[in-house]
Amino acid sequence: MAPLADLYHLTMAYGQWRAGRHRLPATAALFFRRAPFQGGFALLAGVAEGLRGLRAFRFSATDVAYLRSVLPTTTEDAFFDYLATLDTSEVTVSAMPEGSVVFPRVPFLQVKGPLLVVQLLETMLLCLVSYASLVATNAARFRLLAGPDMKLMEIGLRRAQGPDGALSASKYSYIGGFDSTSNILAGKLFGIPVGGTIAHSFIMSFTSLEEVEPRELSPLAGGQPVDLPALAESWLRRNFQGLLDTYCVKRSGLPNFCAVALALHQLGYKAIGVRLDSGDLAQQSKEVRKVLRACGAHFQVPWFETIPIAVSNDISEQSLEEFSREGSDIDVIGVGTNLVTCPLQPTLGCVYKLVEVNNSPCLKLTEDEEKMTIPGTKTIYRLYDADGHPFMDLMALEEEPSPSAGQELVVHFLGQLGEASTVIPVTVECLHQTYFRNGQVREPLPSLLEVRNHAQVSLSQLHPAHRQLHNPQPYPVAVTEKLHHLLAELQEATQ
């Protein structure tokens, strides 16, 4: 996977190699500067793929031959020989567990190793983590808006940015809280539950009941096969309503669905549900539910009133807010374009910055404090209050002792670095775990379902003020007194 890099990284690698700096120990941190979708948090995803990419990192003979063809002809042959020996056997990676809630400017992944290798890993890790975290966060927002009981189905395969984007969207929307996908390849590869309904074209492809074949269906309990279309027609003549809105919900879709569902019931089967795909979905769902209840009561079929009602049709966050505001009888929501393409924010804007080289902390200093990096190899702690809510993330230098529950801590909040504050956590959690060392993943990675469950727990722990999707209360991030002094010294030295 080594060629998943930008050309300029190879140019820099050559410069480091010629300067004899390529083996200097270095640390890089991966983080984002602003929470996506004008919210307050993101959901970390793509860590497992990043670790697999690290494990596979190497330049094959064909890779080296290709690089010879694109780098300047003056590039020394010995550099290409060196590239052929590279791997990640000297790289260590620590990260927050996949599915964790993460906040701006807090490194969620840290890479240590030889300078040249650390820099070559930048693009690959950004590529594998950025979109994954963005779509997982987008899915989490839909889940928070829909509530815990609504079934959410990802249906964005045809709208995604190519097959790779579609598979990633299916995988990471599941982590974010969706229940299933329409993408059968994602189901096969990742074990995600799959589901779906039918399209308008299926209904439109029939012009009369005479075209329906086969017509007969045996009762579930056994017995002689029955002509199902004829049985449905007999129920339809009793005057009472797949996809309901190919033609007209009230005059066509609903009466015909009820007739078929009652015919199936007579043979011992249950209809799976209905889908609405146009018009005022919330209002229609209430009208459909009213008819289903009346039909079930009239014909003494109790399960009729609980037939699931699914909706689709360019569902967005605004759609879910409207469903909640107006009230609805919707059970299942299919989301495609507005989930997989993340139109409200097409990129998370993750960055990968050197924070230490040759055991010396380093920083990027700009007039914009938000773009200034925090120097040094760090350990990240999450501090919790008495109610079990995280109230602050604390960055400390790696060599500092771990803070303890009940300990009074002197901290400096980002954005207020000139002022010291004191906090006393009830619980302290060290967020980073060492996942990769000596070229190998150190421990079995959690399953997709385990990551999904961790994500939901992480979200549930957030204080409602930090979890709300619009105008959230900013989540505090701070540095220790020692890290604050280091930052001040480096700022003074570089001015």
Side-chain angles (χ1 to χ4, degrees), residues 44-341:
L44 177 58
V47 173
E49 285 302 308
L51 295 173
R52 293 185 185 103
L54 286 165
R55 189 172 55 194
F57 177 93
R58 61 186 50 83
F59 288 94
S60 67
T62 56
D63 295 333
V64 173
Y66 173 72
L67 291 176
R68 285 180 182 273
S69 73
V70 295
L71 289 173
T73 56
T74 53
T75 306
E76 297 175 42
D77 287 341
F79 175 65
F80 294 109
D81 295 337
Y82 176 69
L83 289 181
T85 69
L86 285 184
D87 57 26
T88 52
S89 59
E90 297 179 77
V91 170
T92 299
V93 174
S94 61
M96 297 184 194
E98 189 160 6
S100 296
V101 171
V102 288
F103 300 98
R105 300 187 69 182
V106 180
F108 52 78
L109 189 145
Q110 202 162 236
V111 182
K112 297 181 188 178
L115 175 60
L116 185 148
V117 177
V118 167
Q119 291 202 166
L120 281 177
L121 294 172
E122 175 178 348
T123 302
M124 178 188 73
L125 289 172
L126 286 173
C127 177
L128 293 175
V129 171
S130 291
Y131 175 71
S133 299
L134 183 71
V135 76
T137 306
N138 200 18
R141 291 173 64 88
F142 276 95
R143 170 50 69 197
L144 289 171
L145 284 169
D149 300 325
M150 182 73 69
K151 295 295 183 183
L152 293 176
M153 178 185 294
E154 178 271 311
I155 55 173
L157 175 57
R158 66 187 63 193
R159 307 297 186 199
Q161 289 94 338
D164 291 340
L167 285 170
S168 293
S170 299
K171 181 178 184 179
Y172 296 117
S173 62
Y174 184 65
I175 286 178
F178 272 59
D179 299 286
S180 60
T181 178
S182 64
N183 185 343
I184 59 173
L185 183 56
K188 175 186 176 184
L189 293 176
F190 309 130
I192 302 171
V194 294
T197 57
I198 56 175
H200 296 292
S201 59
F202 180 81
I203 297 170
M204 294 166 61
S205 68
F206 295 91
T207 59
S208 70
L209 287 178
E210 284 67 35
E211 296 175 349
V212 176
E213 291 292 343
R215 297 178 63 88
E216 293 187 335
L217 177 66
S218 297
L220 187 61
Q224 291 298 313
V226 175
D227 187 317
L228 182 62
L231 183 59
E233 280 190 297
S234 72
W235 280 103
L236 190 60
R237 287 194 294 270
R238 301 190 191 191
N239 193 25
F240 57 86
Q241 178 175 30
L243 182 67
L244 296 186
D245 55 356
T246 300
Y247 301 111
C248 176
V249 173
K250 292 183 179 179
R251 295 196 303 271
S252 174
L254 194 48
N256 283 304
F257 170 80
C258 287
V260 173
L262 287 165
L264 289 170
H265 171 72
Q266 187 175 337
L267 299 178
Y269 300 92
K270 283 188 178 181
I272 293 173
V274 299
R275 176 164 68 100
L276 299 166
D277 190 49
S278 58
D280 186 336
L281 300 175
Q283 181 60 32
Q284 285 189 83
S285 72
K286 290 185 279 190
E287 293 172 356
V288 169
R289 180 70 68 205
K290 182 179 179 180
V291 171
L292 293 175
R293 284 175 178 150
C295 186
H298 182 76
F299 293 107
Q300 298 183 330
V301 184
W303 59 264
F304 242 67
E305 67 176 52
T306 60
I307 289 175
I309 298 174
V311 299
S312 55
N313 188 26
D314 206 24
I315 301 294
S316 64
E317 286 189 10
Q318 183 180 353
S319 303
L320 269 64
E321 290 169 342
E322 290 172 355
F323 295 162
S324 177
R325 185 169 55 249
E326 298 173 13
S328 78
D329 278 291
I330 297 168
D331 302 290
V332 183
I333 299 176
V335 190
T337 303
N338 290 297
L339 173 64
V340 305
T341 67

Side-chain angles (χ1 to χ4, degrees), residues 390-446:
F391 69 86
M392 189 181 79
D393 278 10
L394 179 64
M395 290 187 262
L397 290 169
E398 188 178 43
E399 64 268 20
E400 293 189 68
S402 301
S404 303
Q407 176 186 358
E408 184 176 277
L409 304 172
V410 178
V411 303
H412 293 259
F413 291 102
L414 297 188
Q416 308 170 31
L417 288 176
E419 304 175 14
S421 302
T422 58
V423 297
I424 302 176
V426 173
T427 307
V428 177
E429 178 186 13
C430 181
L431 294 181
H432 280 197
Q433 299 179 24
T434 301
Y435 282 102
F436 190 88
R437 182 177 286 155
N438 300 326
Q440 295 296 324
V441 178
R442 293 186 66 227
E443 55 188 70
L445 296 175

Side-chain angles (χ1 to χ4, degrees), residues 334-368:
V335 190
T337 303
N338 290 297
L339 173 64
V340 305
T341 67
C342 301
L344 296 180
Q345 182 173 326
T347 178
L348 181 55
C350 287
V351 292
Y352 180 96
K353 299 295 182 183
L354 283 176
V355 293
E356 189 169 297
V357 177
N358 201 22
N359 301 312
S360 296
C362 56
L363 83 162
K364 175 185 177 182
L365 185 62
T366 72
E367 294 180 354
D368 183 353

Side-chain angles (χ1 to χ4, degrees), residues 449-466:
L449 180 59
E450 290 171 331
V451 174
R452 182 180 188 270
N453 291 338
H454 174 62
Q456 301 313 304
V457 170
S458 297
L459 288 167
S460 69
Q461 289 176 332
L462 284 183
H463 190 281
H466 297 140

